Amino acid sequence: MLKARGICVSANQLRCFSAQAQKATASNFDDEAIERSWSTAKPYVTIPGPSILNLIRSFLPKGKFESQPFPEIHRQLRNEYGPIYKLTGTFGKRDIVVVNDPKDFEIVFRTEGTYPMRRGLDCLSYYRKEYRKDQYPVTYGLVTEQGESWWDLRHKVNGVMMKPQVTKGYTSAVDEVARDFVKKLHNMRDSNSETPANLLYFLNVWALESIAYITMNLRLGLLDKKPDENIDKLMVYLKEFFELLIELDLTPSIWKFYKTPKFNRFMEIMDFMHLTVGKLVAQGVENLKEQKLQNENREKSVLEKLYDIDKDVAVLMVLDSLTAGVDTTSSAVFTVLYNLSMNPEKQNILRSELLKILPEKDTPLTIENTTNMPYLRACIKEALRIMPITLGNVRSTGRNIVLKGYQIPKETDVFMNATAVHKDEHYFPDHDSFIPERWLRGEGKHENYNPFTYLPFGFGSRICVGRRFAEMEIESLVSRLVRNYHLEWHHAPPKIRTTSINIPQGDLKLRLTDYQ
């Protein structure tokens, strides 16, 4: 263990939502209007929602929410209680107010204050602050830290992980891994030119290899040889990690009063993950020392750049990146590939764009030729709208606010249900159809335009710190596969298992037919 931490919408009707959303700031929000509305708003206690007893009963065996995916649970709650409802805290947990309107998302985000708070992962916080507190002497990490200590950590890593001019320096490294992975997939195809049924596993391996190369300038060799049993075990445990997160923290659980078998299992998984990933990071640190001695002329890794700022922070951030950047990125890239395979006409449009950037199959992706890829990025956004990786965003209110006519006191946890918005015809006409054109910049906006309808990485200063790396990895692999192959899907739609993230399930066989 390391001591560290049916209607075709034209491009001119719709514009890029998320890019414009990032321009919004708390400074241009009307504070006086909030204060006036607070005095006439309905009290917090009158927000509708199930009683504690009914909520607990619903998750018990034979309860109406037993084995129901969270999007379906929230659909039922929304139908019963309306656009805002409260889930009263159970067994030592805090209340959660759920909102389903991007106008409310905007209010929450724009009033979150200097130190945005995002709670809800209490079992992870317990592991780092109590169970293994000796392993985290300096900081608990960006997920669990709050307040000024969070901002101090975030300030240290932003310059390395969030600035485009810095992150683009890893373009060649990411493309190198993508090309190696495409060659591996090419050779693994069966007689029908289909990938193995466990495609998601190999995408996990690709994601781990990619993020390790970015963060540590270290090739793990996972694409050249069969990963050892600990890496295989890590892939399985990561999925169980996300499942237990939702069971322990988002459904009724008594672990705060009695350490349940599932809680103890979560602690075991955390130990294994940190031990296994910690060994990879230790390998990266040794590699870093050798590179410094050689004084190579190369792009420094994230580890090396952060190491010069704070050694403990460097090790922790790489450890967290390798843990958090596998299932999320692999599920996201599969979502994009699947939607393109089901929409060959859109895939052909994308290929036409890519052929200008990659005229030859082995033309390298560079900082220069990846600057202008609007249709690729539109395809990624549309795929993640239809099949999002996360359900939404959680924030604790930074001040007293009013949502849907109800008082929401400062430090109330609010879940912003983005999944519901993504399926709303009001904001996304013909929402079940894959229409990348709805994300292209044009001269006009459709009548119900709202920039807060699509925020897959969050918003503001607490936006996902690994966002730019994830986008780069997805863009690179999708570019390589669509440039070199016709993607086809000849099976039933994949099932999606909703844990704290959405993960495709079952046999995932993608047909790759050579292009040219």
Side-chain angles (χ1 to χ4, degrees):
M1 183 73 64
L2 285 172
K3 282 189 176 285
R5 339 255 180 239
I7 303 171
C8 184
V9 184
S10 71
N12 286 336
Q13 288 177 303
L14 303 166
R15 302 187 70 174
C16 178
F17 293 173
S18 61
Q20 296 209 11
Q22 298 306 318
K23 297 177 182 177
T25 62
S27 61
N28 59 17
F29 203 80
D30 191 347
D31 291 342
E32 291 184 6
I34 294 177
E35 293 174 3
R36 289 193 301 270
S37 63
W38 177 270
S39 61
T40 58
K42 289 173 281 190
Y44 173 80
V45 294
T46 63
I47 298 174
S51 67
I52 293 179
L53 184 60
N54 284 338
L55 188 63
I56 294 173
R57 186 185 296 123
S58 295
F59 284 97
L60 291 175
K62 298 185 179 181
K64 64 179 180 179
F65 294 154
E66 183 194 14
S67 301
Q68 291 273 16
F70 261 72
E72 174 58 23
I73 291 172
H74 282 294
R75 188 192 67 78
Q76 293 182 33
L77 290 169
R78 191 167 67 254
N79 288 343
E80 184 172 357
Y81 297 107
I84 183 171
Y85 47 91
K86 179 174 60 178
L87 303 178
T88 304
T90 58
F91 305 120
K93 298 176 183 176
R94 299 166 55 88
D95 293 353
I96 297 178
V97 174
V98 182
V99 291
N100 301 271
D101 188 337
K103 298 184 184 70
D104 293 330
F105 303 174
E106 180 179 9
I107 294 172
V108 174
F109 278 124
R110 288 191 175 186
T111 59
E112 60 185 359
T114 305
Y115 308 124
M117 296 187 69
R118 181 178 60 196
R119 283 186 286 244
L121 300 179
D122 291 350
C123 54
L124 182 59
S125 296
Y126 181 89
Y127 178 84
R128 293 189 170 184
K129 296 180 179 181
E130 302 292 337
Y131 193 75
R132 296 293 185 213
K133 61 183 178 181
D134 59 312
Q135 304 296 325
Y136 300 89
V138 177
T139 180
Y140 302 117
L142 287 175
V143 175
T144 51
E145 286 283 13
Q146 306 291 350
E148 193 169 354
S149 58
W150 165 82
W151 174 245
D152 179 63
L153 176 59
R154 181 74 188 222
H155 183 69
K156 289 177 179 177
V157 304
N158 270 353
V160 176
M161 300 183 71
M162 289 299 293
K163 288 185 177 179
Q165 62 269 34
V166 175
T167 56
K168 286 180 180 178
Y170 301 104
T171 301
S172 296
V174 170
D175 186 42
E176 178 186 319
V177 178
R179 282 191 281 180
D180 288 348
F181 180 66
V182 170
K183 291 175 184 176
K184 183 180 182 71
L185 272 189
H186 181 91
N187 295 328
M188 295 176 69
R189 294 179 299 172
D190 63 17
S191 58
N192 292 320
S193 294
E194 290 188 323
T195 65
N198 60 340
L199 173 61
L200 192 65
Y201 167 81
F202 291 104
L203 288 172
N204 285 343
V205 171
W206 157 78
L208 181 57
E209 184 80 14
S210 296
I211 196 64
Y213 202 19
I214 291 171
T215 56
M216 300 186 293
N217 195 33
L218 178 66
R219 289 299 301 266
L220 301 178
L222 303 179
L223 304 180
D224 304 325
K225 56 189 178 183
K226 178 174 172 52
D228 67 36
E229 61 180 16
N230 281 337
I231 296 297
D232 284 345
K233 196 173 177 181
L234 176 65
M235 301 307 182
V236 174
Y237 277 21
L238 278 169
K239 291 173 177 56
E240 193 174 352
F241 164 81
F242 285 116
E243 290 175 0
L244 288 172
L245 268 182
I246 204 166
E247 289 192 41
L248 294 172
D249 282 338
L250 297 182
T251 62
S253 172
I254 61 173
W255 71 263
K256 290 190 176 183
F257 304 99
Y258 172 77
K259 303 315 178 196
T260 64
K262 287 188 177 181
F263 170 83
N264 292 330
R265 175 61 177 164
F266 184 81
M267 296 295 110
E268 291 175 8
I269 287 174
M270 288 295 297
D271 275 348
F272 175 81
M273 286 168 48
H274 279 239
L275 177 63
T276 303
V277 177
K279 289 179 179 178
L280 298 178
V281 177
Q283 188 179 346
V285 172
E286 288 301 313
N287 186 55
L288 170 60
K289 294 176 181 177
E290 293 178 8
Q291 290 172 341
K292 285 193 171 184
L293 289 174
Q294 295 169 3
N295 195 25
E296 297 176 351
N297 182 20
R298 56 180 171 73
E299 180 69 29
K300 290 184 177 181
S301 66
V302 170
L303 176 65
E304 187 171 356
K305 291 173 181 176
L306 288 175
Y307 215 75
D308 294 336
I309 300 172
D310 187 313
K311 294 181 180 180
D312 289 318
V313 167
V315 174
L316 176 62
M317 288 308 304
V318 172
L319 189 149
D320 280 355
S321 295
L322 267 61
T323 303
V326 175
D327 273 283
T328 48
T329 305
S330 59
S331 296
V333 82
F334 173 80
T335 292
V336 180
L337 297 173
Y338 170 74
N339 277 279
L340 286 169
S341 70
M342 296 299 292
N343 294 272
E345 72 286 357
K346 305 300 183 184
Q347 184 185 150
N348 289 335
I349 296 173
L350 174 57
R351 187 174 295 107
S352 295
E353 177 179 274
L354 293 173
L355 286 170
K356 297 174 185 177
I357 298 168
L358 304 170
E360 303 296 332
K361 288 188 175 183
D362 291 327
T363 301
L365 287 170
T366 65
I367 296 175
E368 292 73 27
N369 66 15
T370 57
T371 300
N372 187 29
M373 299 190 297
Y375 202 76
L376 171 63
R377 288 168 181 143
C379 287
I380 292 171
K381 287 179 180 178
E382 182 68 346
L384 295 182
R385 178 194 68 81
I386 292 175
M387 299 170 66
I389 302 305
T390 60
L391 302 180
N393 294 285
V394 177
R395 288 290 190 276
S396 299
T397 51
R399 56 160 295 170
N400 293 340
I401 59 175
V402 175
L403 300 176
K404 289 289 176 287
Y406 291 96
Q407 294 177 344
I408 310 296
K410 181 180 179 180
E411 295 192 11
T412 299
D413 292 344
V414 177
F415 170 59
M416 293 165 274
N417 186 10
T419 302
V421 178
H422 294 171
K423 301 293 185 180
D424 192 333
E425 285 283 330
H426 181 75
Y427 295 106
F428 296 99
D430 198 11
H431 67 82
D432 282 334
S433 297
F434 182 75
I435 309 173
E437 288 77 9
R438 70 172 94 235
W439 299 102
L440 297 177
R441 294 181 184 273
E443 295 180 358
K445 307 169 187 173
H446 76 305
E447 57 193 23
N448 297 321
Y449 165 81
N450 187 300
F452 286 81
T453 55
Y454 179 82
L455 300 171
F457 295 99
F459 175 83
S461 58
R462 199 144 193 167
I463 194 171
C464 174
V465 74
R467 168 196 168 192
R468 298 196 185 281
F469 294 145
E471 289 175 333
M472 188 186 307
E473 291 172 61
I474 295 167
E475 289 171 6
S476 180
L477 186 55
V478 172
S479 295
R480 286 289 164 201
L481 287 171
V482 174
R483 163 60 182 85
N484 294 344
Y485 302 94
H486 291 286
L487 310 183
E488 300 173 45
W489 186 269
H490 296 281
H491 306 280
K495 296 179 180 179
I496 304 297
R497 179 168 178 77
T498 300
T499 58
S500 47
I501 62 173
N502 293 320
I503 302 176
Q505 298 287 300
D507 290 350
L508 306 176
K509 301 180 73 172
L510 190 67
R511 181 172 295 179
L512 304 177
T513 305
D514 291 80
Y515 174 77
Q516 291 184 347

